[in-house]
Amino acid sequence: MTRSLFGTDGVRGRANSRPMTAEIAMRIGMATGQIFNRGGHRHRVVVGKDTRLSGYMIEQALTAGFLSVGMDVLLLGPLPTPGVGFLTRSMRADVGVMISASHNSYEDNGIKLFGPDGFKLSDAVEMEIEALVASYDSIRLAAPPAIGRATRLDDAGGRYIEAVKGSAARGLDLSGLRIVIDCANGAAYKVAPTVLWELGAEVIPIAVKPDGFNVNDKCGSTHPSLLQESVGTYRADIGIALDGDADRVVLVCEKGSLVDGDQLMATIADLWQRDGRLTGNGLVATVMSNLGLERYVGARGLSLVRTQVGDRYVLERMRSDGFNLGGEQSGHIIMTDHATTGDGLMAALQALAALIRSGKPASETFRAFQPVPQLLKNVRVSDAAAALNAAPVAAAIAAAEKDLGQGGRILVRKSGTEPLIRVMAEGDDSELVRSVVDRIIEAIPRQAA
């Protein structure tokens, strides 16, 4: 069976359009509930969301689906994605659900599913769910006495806050640090400023007034200019930006420069190696991570293992090969000693611990390596597969690889969440990098009309 419902990170699309309709959400709840309805105990699912207007609709539809197959539902309200993973395992739930389209604008929404261990579902289980959604008439509905109950968990945020604080180094004291935190008007708008304040920081929260429409709107980790400006305005020591569901993070140093996921991984790896906490003798990143990161960890006797793009693939490799640190350049930082998925807030605390230990300003602490010139451009297309398979595009890619040689890389791929082709190149010669990317970009539109 071909995957048509699930992408690289759950189900995602434009709200109130297939597949993100109330009807399909209800079917997903029914199908997932049937698959995880195992044993004679009372079954439980926890459901969290970010701040999108459509979250109300999807939440109610999913709830109806789960209740109809006999699963009780605990509604968490707005909570970061990693918080849902944590509570799924902590509360011995059979399933966890996060309603979010992560860094996308409010018009989109998505459904991410977690198993009882708190980890996102495997491709095989997602395929089972797809099959049942397609033939939902075969789903076994609960008898009237067995229909589930829905209740709201009022202390979900407090439980997650304590888990985040517990992930930090013992005795982490942020006193004396002035921190701007950009919550993207998303799921962490309450919990993130609270964690930082309770650990002693002077906190300046921005983008913490969600209205259903402004999630990720000119703010958050994908639009860091607001944070960069605010760090300067408030003369902060550091800025932290999360995305809509707070599973990714980027930093801004006191000078206003951006610190991406690659620099964060390098800094945390160095901290953990010194403390003897780094397992696997390296870390896991994706094909998008900068060559500079690979050279940095190699110089320290560590390995960098690369996977395809998607935090789920990073996590799979970490679990299979015994690594406890991995992530993506975009800011997904996965630390399996503390969380079951990327956690922007937990990663920020590890970064702050490194900042305090270094005794240096953020501009020096988080400049672990000099990045190799890298350029990424996106092309919106109607048929990405057809464009990538076209002969002129293949020829342009082959020519780019030859020009870059052993000192660079070229990567052309479909986005897993949007109708885009992403073209990335890197190498020591910035002008050559720009040239090869532009040549490939020129070839794509002619084939993707």
Side-chain angles (χ1 to χ4, degrees):
M1 179 179 174
T2 302
R3 289 169 64 94
S4 59
L5 186 61
F6 286 89
T8 56
D9 194 15
V11 181
R12 189 176 298 187
R14 189 174 182 84
N16 232 14
S17 300
R18 295 180 69 88
M20 288 310 303
T21 64
E23 178 187 6
I24 294 178
M26 184 177 69
R27 293 188 192 181
I28 291 172
M30 295 167 68
T32 306
Q34 175 163 309
I35 289 172
F36 284 92
N37 201 320
R38 305 164 177 171
H41 65 281
R42 191 74 188 178
H43 291 77
R44 169 187 284 183
V45 54
V46 296
V47 179
K49 62 181 180 179
D50 64 18
T51 56
R52 296 161 207 273
L53 177 65
S54 58
Y56 294 99
M57 176 186 72
I58 301 300
E59 178 186 54
Q60 295 301 314
L62 279 166
T63 299
F66 282 116
L67 298 180
S68 73
V69 294
M71 298 194 83
D72 292 335
V73 176
L74 287 174
L75 300 171
L76 309 179
L79 193 73
T81 289
V84 174
F86 161 71
L87 286 174
T88 302
R89 184 166 62 179
S90 171
M91 300 191 68
R92 296 179 63 187
D94 299 276
V95 184
V97 185
M98 179 63 182
I99 304 166
S100 175
S102 191
H103 59 279
N104 291 22
S105 62
Y106 86 93
E107 294 93 345
D108 294 338
N109 216 329
I111 298 171
K112 304 179 184 183
L113 298 172
F114 296 85
D117 58 359
F119 289 95
K120 291 178 183 177
L121 301 185
S122 66
D123 289 345
V125 176
E126 288 182 347
M127 289 290 282
E128 289 185 60
I129 294 171
E130 279 210 22
L132 277 176
V133 168
S135 58
Y136 72 100
D137 287 340
S138 65
I139 294 175
R140 299 183 302 273
L141 298 180
I147 292 172
R149 297 174 183 268
T151 55
R152 190 162 296 279
L153 183 66
D154 293 329
D155 66 341
R159 290 178 182 232
Y160 175 63
I161 285 169
E162 290 305 312
V164 173
K165 288 163 60 179
S167 73
R170 186 181 299 274
L172 178 63
D173 184 357
L174 303 182
S175 299
L177 284 180
R178 178 178 291 180
I179 302 173
V180 178
I181 175 73
D182 179 348
C183 298
N185 291 310
Y189 78 101
K190 288 184 179 179
V191 298
T194 301
V195 165
L196 297 173
W197 184 84
E198 290 186 358
L199 289 173
E202 179 185 350
V203 183
I204 301 161
I206 61 175
V208 289
K209 296 180 179 179
D211 60 11
F213 305 97
N214 60 1
V215 61
N216 301 312
D217 184 16
K218 300 181 180 63
C219 58
S221 63
T222 50
H223 302 280
S225 57
L226 174 65
L227 180 62
Q228 291 172 303
E229 178 182 346
S230 299
V231 166
T233 299
Y234 294 104
R235 298 182 180 179
D237 299 295
I238 192 169
I240 300 169
L242 306 170
D243 68 337
D245 66 339
D247 64 353
R248 67 167 71 180
V249 62
V250 297
L251 305 181
V252 168
C253 75
E254 82 285 357
K255 295 181 178 179
S257 296
L258 192 64
V259 179
D260 66 12
D262 284 348
Q263 296 284 1
L264 275 175
M265 283 189 284
T267 302
I268 295 171
D270 183 64
L271 176 70
W272 287 8
Q273 185 185 33
R274 293 173 185 271
D275 290 346
R277 289 189 285 155
L278 189 68
T279 65
N281 198 42
L283 63 151
V284 181
T286 75
V287 291
M288 297 298 292
S289 279
N290 195 276
L291 272 174
L293 174 63
E294 187 170 337
R295 293 171 181 174
Y296 175 84
V297 298
R300 280 151 184 78
L302 303 174
S303 61
L304 178 71
V305 177
R306 292 185 185 267
T307 71
Q308 62 180 299
V309 174
D311 62 305
R312 65 182 300 165
Y313 304 112
V314 172
L315 180 58
E316 286 173 3
R317 190 62 179 271
M318 290 172 65
R319 297 180 74 187
S320 66
D321 291 6
F323 294 92
N324 64 348
L325 177 63
E328 297 187 280
Q329 186 184 66
S330 60
H332 281 119
I333 308 298
I334 305 174
M335 304 173 296
T336 50
D337 291 347
H338 305 296
T340 59
T341 186
D343 192 314
L345 196 48
M346 286 188 180
L349 293 190
Q350 294 295 325
L352 291 172
L355 175 66
I356 292 170
R357 181 179 297 189
S358 74
K360 300 176 181 178
S363 56
E364 297 179 32
T365 302
F366 302 112
R367 194 66 175 179
F369 63 88
Q370 180 65 35
V372 170
Q374 186 183 79
L375 180 63
L376 170 66
K377 290 188 177 182
N378 299 320
V379 182
R380 189 168 294 273
V381 296
S382 57
D383 189 338
L388 290 178
N389 290 330
V393 176
I397 294 171
E401 290 174 338
K402 181 179 179 181
D403 290 345
L404 287 172
Q406 296 298 314
R409 292 191 307 134
I410 185 79
L411 179 67
V412 182
R413 67 177 185 89
K414 294 189 295 182
S415 167
T417 58
E418 299 176 84
L420 300 173
I421 291 177
R422 305 192 191 279
V423 181
M424 187 276 287
E426 62 180 349
D428 294 315
D429 186 336
S430 60
E431 288 303 317
L432 177 58
V433 166
R434 183 175 301 278
S435 174
V436 298
V437 168
D438 287 343
R439 293 205 305 267
I440 295 173
I441 292 291
E442 289 173 4
I444 291 174
R446 293 198 297 269
Q447 307 300 324

